[in-house]
């Protein structure tokens, strides 16, 4: 059975499961410390090529991707939304000037049409069920102006198949079907997501740009 948004929104700090291989007091601190993970630099580099004025991350957790992006491109405005209030509380403490919100991405996003030049989804859509993925992708398309970057698990299925308790999909097909003109994807390289074999086997980067 896959994890869903109830799991993330209600996950207590005392949960002993750690998501990252770092010495931390709790799983939220583990996300703060995961700013050192190599795949985050890939995200920053690819988003930087798009030259956005503002960026939203769905499932931002404590915001390590956005903090790295802000450090390299200080002029970019950043916003993050996550289901877990503890994660957002930590994010506000790290970069209080950003627009951090607690929210459920299965509901309409609390942003206007074309509010953000770019949207990041990093290991986020793997928690969205086949019944929910269409509405979530349509909301992403509504809110984004220029480009979407997705780091997630790949499968040829459009709506998703379960792999190791997560959903894997062909996100490039979703982006093309939603009207993104330039779409590409590739498998993550070992140095971009080291150690974790599941990510080395399944992880891809997907980028879609609007005309």
């Amino acid at each position: 059975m896959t994890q869903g948004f109830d799991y993330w929104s209600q996950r207590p700090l005392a949960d002993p499961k750690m998501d990252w291989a770092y010495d931390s007091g709790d799983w939220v601190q583990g996300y703060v410390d995961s700013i050192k993970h190599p795949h985050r630099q890939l995200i920053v580099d690819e988003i930087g090529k798009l030259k956005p004025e503002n960026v939203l991350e769905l499932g931002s957790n404590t915001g390590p991707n956005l903090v790295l992006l802000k450090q390299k491109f200080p002029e970019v405005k950043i916003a993050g939304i996550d289901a877990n209030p503890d994660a957002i509380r930590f994010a506000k403490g790290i970069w209080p000037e950003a627009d951090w919100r607690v929210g459920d991405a299965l509901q309409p996003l609390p942003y206007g049409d074309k509010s953000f030049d770019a949207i990041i989804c990093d290991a986020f859509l793997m928690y969205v069920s086949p019944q929910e993925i269409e509405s979530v992708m349509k909301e992403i398309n509504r809110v984004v102006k220029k480009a979407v970057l997705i780091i997630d698990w790949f499968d040829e299925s459009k709506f998703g198949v379960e792999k190791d308790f997560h959903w894997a999909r062909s996100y490039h097909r979703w982006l093309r079907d939603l009207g993104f003109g330039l779409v590409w994807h590739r498998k993550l390289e070992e140095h971009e997501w080291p150690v974790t074999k599941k990510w080395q086997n399944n992880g891809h980067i997907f980028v879609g740009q609007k005309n």
Side-chain angles (χ1 to χ4, degrees):
M1 184 176 180
T2 60
Q3 297 169 345
F5 285 98
D6 286 345
Y7 167 81
W8 286 103
S9 63
Q10 300 170 18
R11 187 176 181 182
L13 284 175
D15 184 353
K17 179 179 179 294
M18 299 299 294
D19 302 313
W20 301 94
Y22 301 101
D23 294 329
S24 303
D26 54 61
W27 67 269
V28 174
Q29 184 62 48
Y31 274 89
V32 175
D33 297 339
S34 76
I35 197 168
K36 299 172 286 189
H37 195 274
H39 89 283
R40 303 201 186 282
Q41 191 57 54
L42 171 64
I43 292 173
V44 171
D45 291 344
E46 291 299 330
I47 290 293
K49 294 175 185 177
L50 302 170
K51 295 180 170 51
E53 293 183 6
N54 57 357
V55 177
L56 168 68
E57 181 170 10
L58 303 183
S60 61
N61 208 280
T62 59
N65 292 323
L66 295 172
V67 170
L68 281 176
L69 184 68
K70 189 71 173 177
Q71 289 173 347
K72 187 169 184 178
F73 304 102
E75 72 281 4
V76 176
K77 295 179 180 179
I78 57 173
I81 185 169
D82 196 272
N84 189 274
D86 288 318
I88 292 298
R89 176 171 55 82
F90 269 66
K92 288 180 178 179
I94 296 167
W95 206 282
E97 298 85 1
D99 179 6
W100 302 108
R101 304 191 192 189
V102 178
D104 182 351
L106 301 182
Q107 303 298 321
L109 294 171
Y111 312 102
D113 295 356
K114 299 181 180 179
S115 295
F116 295 92
D117 285 342
I119 288 179
I120 300 169
C121 299
D122 177 20
F124 161 74
L125 294 170
M126 56 173 35
Y127 300 106
V128 179
S129 75
Q131 295 76 31
E132 299 160 330
I133 189 62
E134 183 171 12
S135 63
V136 171
M137 292 301 295
K138 285 182 176 179
E139 270 295 278
I140 290 172
N141 188 45
R142 178 185 68 80
V143 171
V144 76
K145 184 177 181 181
K146 294 182 179 179
V148 174
L149 183 151
I150 297 169
I151 301 278
D152 224 300
W153 285 10
F154 169 78
D155 186 83
E156 293 290 350
S157 169
K158 182 177 179 181
F159 283 87
V161 297
E162 191 174 333
K163 292 184 178 181
D164 292 314
F165 307 104
H166 299 92
W167 297 108
R169 300 184 176 91
S170 54
Y171 293 101
H172 56 291
R173 290 177 60 191
W174 276 108
L175 293 170
R176 289 195 185 106
D177 290 350
L178 288 168
F180 287 77
L182 176 61
V183 178
W184 62 270
H185 75 105
R186 68 165 173 82
K187 193 174 187 294
L188 294 178
E189 298 179 12
E190 186 173 347
H191 72 275
E192 293 168 336
W193 205 299
V195 180
T196 311
K197 289 298 182 183
K198 291 179 181 178
W199 268 97
Q200 292 174 7
N201 293 334
N202 301 307
H204 277 232
I205 177 172
F206 307 80
V207 177
Q209 292 178 250
K210 294 190 174 182
N211 293 330

